[in-house]
Amino acid sequence: MKEKASLRDRICETGTGLPAVLTIFFGAAYGSVNTYIAMMAAEAHIENAGLFFIIGMLFVFISRPFGGRLLDAKGAFAVVMPGSVLYLIGLLLIMAAHSLTVLLAASVFYGLGAGLLLPALLTWILNMVRPERRSSASATFYNMLDIGTSTGILVLGVIAGMVATATCTGALQLS
């Protein structure tokens, strides 16, 4: 008789801990940027912010083949580390963006980092399990990406709302 798997075992393949957690963090940032970048750009009076996605996509395409070769030669960690640094630089530039130029520079780093991270995290998770568990490992990757994306959007949306409310309240008190 087949043993019933726990909810945790159905959501996350055993033994995929670190890359699964990193995938959650990536998803949180990815979902939040993709959801809130237009509002951030409008608030900062940045016109043509949609170019962020076009430039970012081009750099995703540029970085993936390079990342794949590096992963094959040196392993996932050799791609995840530089991908994380590039992605973090992109996120920091997004937070500092007050012009289209800075926003597009952010999209270069954001795209390079995402293009390295996403396939490297998936490959890392797949390589951590036995071949017959790869379908479950793939599901783990996408579950963690979805969990990160949805919770990142919700949590950062609440934080942004609280900051906006505090800023407006403070501005009203100064008047």
Side-chain angles (χ1 to χ4, degrees), residues 82-113:
S84 297
V85 169
L86 290 167
Y87 199 67
L88 180 60
I89 291 168
L91 293 173
L92 293 172
L93 285 172
I94 289 168
M95 291 185 334
H98 293 292
S99 71
L100 183 61
T101 303
V102 176
L103 189 63
L104 295 181
S107 73
V108 169
F109 288 98
Y110 181 82
L112 288 171

Short mmCIF file of all heavy atoms in Angstrom, two decimals, residues 82-113:
data_model
loop_
_atom_site.label_atom_id
_atom_site.label_comp_id
_atom_site.label_asym_id
_atom_site.label_seq_id
_atom_site.Cartn_x
_atom_site.Cartn_y
_atom_site.Cartn_z
N PRO A 82 26.93 35.12 -8.99
CA PRO A 82 26.95 36.34 -9.80
C PRO A 82 25.55 36.78 -10.22
O PRO A 82 25.26 37.97 -10.30
CB PRO A 82 27.81 35.98 -11.01
CG PRO A 82 27.96 34.52 -11.01
CD PRO A 82 27.69 34.03 -9.62
N GLY A 83 24.66 35.83 -10.45
CA GLY A 83 23.27 36.18 -10.79
C GLY A 83 22.60 36.95 -9.66
O GLY A 83 21.89 37.93 -9.90
N SER A 84 22.84 36.51 -8.43
CA SER A 84 22.27 37.19 -7.26
C SER A 84 22.83 38.60 -7.12
O SER A 84 22.08 39.54 -6.82
CB SER A 84 22.57 36.40 -5.99
OG SER A 84 21.95 35.14 -6.04
N VAL A 85 24.12 38.76 -7.32
CA VAL A 85 24.74 40.08 -7.22
C VAL A 85 24.18 41.01 -8.30
O VAL A 85 23.80 42.16 -8.01
CB VAL A 85 26.28 39.98 -7.31
CG1 VAL A 85 26.92 41.36 -7.47
CG2 VAL A 85 26.83 39.26 -6.09
N LEU A 86 24.11 40.54 -9.54
CA LEU A 86 23.56 41.36 -10.62
C LEU A 86 22.10 41.72 -10.35
O LEU A 86 21.69 42.87 -10.55
CB LEU A 86 23.68 40.62 -11.95
CG LEU A 86 25.10 40.46 -12.50
CD1 LEU A 86 25.13 39.45 -13.63
CD2 LEU A 86 25.64 41.80 -12.95
N TYR A 87 21.33 40.76 -9.88
CA TYR A 87 19.92 40.98 -9.59
C TYR A 87 19.76 42.00 -8.46
O TYR A 87 18.92 42.90 -8.53
CB TYR A 87 19.27 39.65 -9.23
CG TYR A 87 17.77 39.62 -9.35
CD1 TYR A 87 17.15 39.73 -10.58
CD2 TYR A 87 16.97 39.47 -8.23
CE1 TYR A 87 15.77 39.70 -10.71
CE2 TYR A 87 15.60 39.43 -8.34
CZ TYR A 87 15.00 39.54 -9.58
OH TYR A 87 13.64 39.51 -9.69
N LEU A 88 20.58 41.88 -7.42
CA LEU A 88 20.54 42.81 -6.30
C LEU A 88 20.90 44.23 -6.77
O LEU A 88 20.25 45.20 -6.36
CB LEU A 88 21.47 42.36 -5.18
CG LEU A 88 21.52 43.27 -3.95
CD1 LEU A 88 20.13 43.39 -3.31
CD2 LEU A 88 22.53 42.74 -2.94
N ILE A 89 21.90 44.35 -7.60
CA ILE A 89 22.26 45.67 -8.15
C ILE A 89 21.06 46.25 -8.91
O ILE A 89 20.73 47.42 -8.76
CB ILE A 89 23.51 45.58 -9.06
CG1 ILE A 89 24.75 45.28 -8.23
CG2 ILE A 89 23.70 46.88 -9.86
CD1 ILE A 89 25.97 44.91 -9.04
N GLY A 90 20.41 45.41 -9.71
CA GLY A 90 19.22 45.85 -10.43
C GLY A 90 18.13 46.34 -9.48
O GLY A 90 17.52 47.39 -9.71
N LEU A 91 17.88 45.60 -8.41
CA LEU A 91 16.85 45.99 -7.44
C LEU A 91 17.22 47.30 -6.73
O LEU A 91 16.36 48.17 -6.54
CB LEU A 91 16.65 44.88 -6.41
CG LEU A 91 16.05 43.58 -6.94
CD1 LEU A 91 16.05 42.50 -5.85
CD2 LEU A 91 14.65 43.79 -7.49
N LEU A 92 18.48 47.46 -6.38
CA LEU A 92 18.92 48.70 -5.73
C LEU A 92 18.79 49.90 -6.68
O LEU A 92 18.38 50.98 -6.26
CB LEU A 92 20.35 48.55 -5.21
CG LEU A 92 20.54 47.55 -4.07
CD1 LEU A 92 22.02 47.36 -3.77
CD2 LEU A 92 19.79 48.00 -2.83
N LEU A 93 19.13 49.68 -7.94
CA LEU A 93 18.97 50.76 -8.92
C LEU A 93 17.50 51.11 -9.13
O LEU A 93 17.16 52.29 -9.31
CB LEU A 93 19.63 50.39 -10.24
CG LEU A 93 21.15 50.46 -10.28
CD1 LEU A 93 21.69 49.86 -11.58
CD2 LEU A 93 21.62 51.89 -10.10
N ILE A 94 16.63 50.11 -9.12
CA ILE A 94 15.19 50.38 -9.24
C ILE A 94 14.75 51.26 -8.08
O ILE A 94 14.03 52.25 -8.28
CB ILE A 94 14.37 49.07 -9.26
CG1 ILE A 94 14.59 48.33 -10.58
CG2 ILE A 94 12.88 49.36 -9.05
CD1 ILE A 94 14.07 46.90 -10.59
N MET A 95 15.19 50.95 -6.88
CA MET A 95 14.80 51.74 -5.71
C MET A 95 15.31 53.17 -5.80
O MET A 95 14.68 54.09 -5.28
CB MET A 95 15.29 51.07 -4.42
CG MET A 95 14.56 49.78 -4.15
SD MET A 95 14.92 48.94 -2.57
CE MET A 95 16.53 49.42 -2.11
N ALA A 96 16.45 53.36 -6.46
CA ALA A 96 17.05 54.70 -6.57
C ALA A 96 16.61 55.43 -7.83
O ALA A 96 16.97 56.59 -8.01
CB ALA A 96 18.57 54.57 -6.55
N ALA A 97 15.86 54.79 -8.69
CA ALA A 97 15.54 55.37 -10.01
C ALA A 97 14.64 56.59 -9.91
O ALA A 97 13.55 56.52 -9.36
CB ALA A 97 14.90 54.32 -10.91
N HIS A 98 15.15 57.69 -10.45
CA HIS A 98 14.36 58.91 -10.56
C HIS A 98 14.40 59.44 -11.99
O HIS A 98 13.98 60.56 -12.25
CB HIS A 98 14.86 59.97 -9.58
CG HIS A 98 14.63 59.58 -8.16
ND1 HIS A 98 13.38 59.49 -7.59
CD2 HIS A 98 15.49 59.20 -7.18
CE1 HIS A 98 13.48 59.12 -6.34
NE2 HIS A 98 14.75 58.91 -6.06
N SER A 99 14.93 58.61 -12.89
CA SER A 99 14.98 58.98 -14.31
C SER A 99 14.89 57.70 -15.14
O SER A 99 15.17 56.60 -14.65
CB SER A 99 16.27 59.73 -14.65
OG SER A 99 17.38 58.84 -14.59
N LEU A 100 14.52 57.87 -16.40
CA LEU A 100 14.44 56.72 -17.30
C LEU A 100 15.81 56.09 -17.47
O LEU A 100 15.92 54.86 -17.54
CB LEU A 100 13.85 57.14 -18.65
CG LEU A 100 13.66 56.02 -19.66
CD1 LEU A 100 12.70 54.95 -19.13
CD2 LEU A 100 13.16 56.57 -20.99
N THR A 101 16.86 56.88 -17.50
CA THR A 101 18.22 56.36 -17.68
C THR A 101 18.57 55.39 -16.55
O THR A 101 19.07 54.29 -16.80
CB THR A 101 19.24 57.51 -17.74
OG1 THR A 101 18.87 58.39 -18.80
CG2 THR A 101 20.64 56.99 -17.96
N VAL A 102 18.31 55.78 -15.31
CA VAL A 102 18.63 54.91 -14.17
C VAL A 102 17.73 53.67 -14.19
O VAL A 102 18.19 52.56 -13.93
CB VAL A 102 18.50 55.67 -12.83
CG1 VAL A 102 18.73 54.74 -11.65
CG2 VAL A 102 19.47 56.83 -12.79
N LEU A 103 16.46 53.85 -14.54
CA LEU A 103 15.54 52.71 -14.61
C LEU A 103 15.99 51.71 -15.68
O LEU A 103 15.95 50.50 -15.46
CB LEU A 103 14.12 53.19 -14.89
CG LEU A 103 13.04 52.11 -14.78
CD1 LEU A 103 12.94 51.56 -13.36
CD2 LEU A 103 11.69 52.68 -15.22
N LEU A 104 16.46 52.21 -16.82
CA LEU A 104 16.94 51.30 -17.88
C LEU A 104 18.26 50.64 -17.49
O LEU A 104 18.48 49.47 -17.83
CB LEU A 104 17.04 52.04 -19.20
CG LEU A 104 15.71 52.52 -19.78
CD1 LEU A 104 15.92 53.22 -21.12
CD2 LEU A 104 14.69 51.41 -19.89
N ALA A 105 19.11 51.35 -16.78
CA ALA A 105 20.34 50.72 -16.26
C ALA A 105 19.96 49.60 -15.29
O ALA A 105 20.55 48.51 -15.31
CB ALA A 105 21.22 51.75 -15.57
N ALA A 106 18.95 49.85 -14.47
CA ALA A 106 18.46 48.83 -13.54
C ALA A 106 17.96 47.62 -14.32
O ALA A 106 18.21 46.47 -13.91
CB ALA A 106 17.35 49.40 -12.67
N SER A 107 17.28 47.85 -15.43
CA SER A 107 16.73 46.74 -16.21
C SER A 107 17.83 45.87 -16.80
O SER A 107 17.63 44.66 -16.96
CB SER A 107 15.77 47.24 -17.29
OG SER A 107 16.46 47.85 -18.35
N VAL A 108 18.97 46.45 -17.10
CA VAL A 108 20.10 45.66 -17.61
C VAL A 108 20.56 44.67 -16.54
O VAL A 108 20.67 43.46 -16.79
CB VAL A 108 21.27 46.57 -18.05
CG1 VAL A 108 22.53 45.75 -18.32
CG2 VAL A 108 20.87 47.39 -19.27
N PHE A 109 20.80 45.17 -15.33
CA PHE A 109 21.25 44.30 -14.24
C PHE A 109 20.16 43.31 -13.83
O PHE A 109 20.43 42.15 -13.56
CB PHE A 109 21.69 45.14 -13.03
CG PHE A 109 22.99 45.85 -13.25
CD1 PHE A 109 23.01 47.19 -13.63
CD2 PHE A 109 24.19 45.18 -13.10
CE1 PHE A 109 24.20 47.84 -13.84
CE2 PHE A 109 25.39 45.83 -13.31
CZ PHE A 109 25.41 47.17 -13.68
N TYR A 110 18.93 43.80 -13.78
CA TYR A 110 17.78 42.96 -13.43
C TYR A 110 17.65 41.81 -14.43
O TYR A 110 17.49 40.65 -14.04
CB TYR A 110 16.53 43.83 -13.42
CG TYR A 110 15.25 43.16 -13.04
CD1 TYR A 110 14.91 42.96 -11.72
CD2 TYR A 110 14.34 42.75 -14.01
CE1 TYR A 110 13.70 42.36 -11.36
CE2 TYR A 110 13.14 42.15 -13.67
CZ TYR A 110 12.83 41.96 -12.35
OH TYR A 110 11.65 41.38 -12.00
N GLY A 111 17.76 42.11 -15.71
CA GLY A 111 17.65 41.09 -16.75
C GLY A 111 18.81 40.11 -16.72
O GLY A 111 18.60 38.89 -16.84
N LEU A 112 20.02 40.62 -16.57
CA LEU A 112 21.18 39.73 -16.48
C LEU A 112 21.06 38.79 -15.28
O LEU A 112 21.29 37.59 -15.40
CB LEU A 112 22.48 40.54 -16.39
CG LEU A 112 22.94 41.26 -17.64
CD1 LEU A 112 24.11 42.19 -17.32
CD2 LEU A 112 23.31 40.28 -18.74
N GLY A 113 20.69 39.35 -14.14
CA GLY A 113 20.56 38.54 -12.94
C GLY A 113 19.45 37.51 -13.06
O GLY A 113 19.64 36.34 -12.73
#
